[in-house]
Amino acid sequence: MLTGRTGSITFRRCRSYTTKHGLRPVPILSDAGLETFRKDAFVPATPALLPRQTFSQLPAVQRWFLTASDGRLTLNRSYLARFGSTIVPLEISNNDRFTRIEQSLSFFLECVHASSSTYRVQPSRYFSAYVPGARAIRRTTQSNDFFSATAISPPTARVYLAQAPINDLPRALRDDLPVPDLVLKAGKGDVYDSSIWIGQAPTYTPLHRDPNPNLFVQLAGTKIVRLFPPDNGKAIFAKVQETIEGSASATMRGEEMMQGAEKKALEFEVWSDDVRSGRTGWEAELRSGDGLFIPKGWWHSVKGTGDGITGSVNWWFR
């Protein structure tokens, strides 16, 4: 693969997927060494991809996912079911409706299995009127008909295991996701937080920013990440708020960005193919084993693409 120089920073030329949206491809570091990562990404606070498949040997990549007979990626249910009683956070969307709950990992595995089956299942098996055992993240006085059999059924309902803290997982699953040396040694060695994200593609995380640098690693499937420098991302957010006549805070993000007018406006501004939008940002495509460094304060939005399961892990550190 050819190499090129940008100032004093050495990168590999990116994979030749196109960015016809007026966005630059995120450069790939020349190697995965600590000094290269620190000098060319962490210290200058610039987005960078690690060399392709740098993280392909993570145990979770090998143990959590399987390739089905039809070629689609699936979850290794026989392995993960051993930890079925583990409570995990889930984001559930049904058309333009959205909610967060906490449920068992076994519940999530059954939902994914139902949504990927070729035969039609009875929705009441997975979603009763009130989802027995589910614990709502946020109480509401509204009628709880979100999960009723008439309101939700595969495949219109999408279940996403999102922002599940690694430290809340059983020891065996934590051991499948050892903290990379880059996270432990590039800065002060402080790991602020870490999470896993698993769902049936397509998945979507709206535009937001994080208070700490972020190493984002794709475990399975494909995701596209669009990134914007702090000032540009803030301008996009402000434009969306003006468009919808909203007053949401850029630092305190809630469910409003996952549904309704704000979700639609954010998705349009970030993911529209209209190059006249004037966006200034970068784009990266990640496949299994790929890793992306996202600097502190950089706005980003993520889409899981293709068929089958997509899975990711990220570490916030400093």
Side-chain angles (χ1 to χ4, degrees), residues 5 33 43 52 69 75 92 99 111 146 157 221 224 288 291 305:
R5 297 190 70 86
V43 172
R52 297 297 180 178
S69 57
L75 290 173
I92 303 184
T99 194
C111 291
F146 189 94
I224 305 295
S288 179
T305 63

Side-chain angles (χ1 to χ4, degrees), residues 19-69:
T19 54
K20 59 180 180 295
H21 325 288
L23 302 173
R24 299 167 54 190
V26 173
I28 303 177
L29 297 176
S30 59
D31 63 74
L34 175 61
E35 289 309 313
T36 298
F37 175 74
R38 181 184 286 140
K39 175 174 66 73
D40 295 348
F42 185 76
V43 172
T46 186
L49 282 163
L50 280 297
R52 297 297 180 178
Q53 297 198 320
T54 291
F55 302 97
S56 61
Q57 298 307 308
L58 280 176
V61 172
Q62 313 296 327
R63 296 174 182 167
W64 293 16
F65 308 95
L66 297 171
T67 301
S69 57

Side-chain angles (χ1 to χ4, degrees), residues 186-264:
K188 297 180 180 179
D190 298 331
V191 181
Y192 173 73
D193 204 353
S194 56
S195 298
I196 58 172
W197 311 70
I198 302 174
Q200 193 84 20
T203 61
Y204 172 66
T205 302
L207 187 70
H208 67 286
R209 61 181 179 177
D210 298 323
N212 292 94
N214 176 3
L215 180 64
F216 183 95
V217 173
Q218 189 69 5
L219 301 174
T222 302
K223 282 186 175 176
I224 305 295
V225 184
R226 291 190 172 180
L227 307 101
F228 303 91
D231 288 346
N232 298 87
K234 186 176 181 180
I236 293 173
F237 178 80
K239 180 179 179 181
V240 166
Q241 294 303 311
E242 181 180 1
T243 299
I244 66 173
E245 298 183 347
S247 58
S249 167
T251 55
M252 299 295 292
R253 310 301 290 121
E255 293 187 10
E256 68 279 353
M257 67 179 181
M258 297 297 299
Q259 59 188 337
E262 181 169 326
K263 175 181 180 294
K264 293 176 182 177

Side-chain angles (χ1 to χ4, degrees), residues 259-274:
Q259 59 188 337
E262 181 169 326
K263 175 181 180 294
K264 293 176 182 177
L266 276 174
E267 187 166 9
F268 176 81
E269 289 298 329
V270 174
W271 293 96
S272 168
D273 290 343
D274 186 358

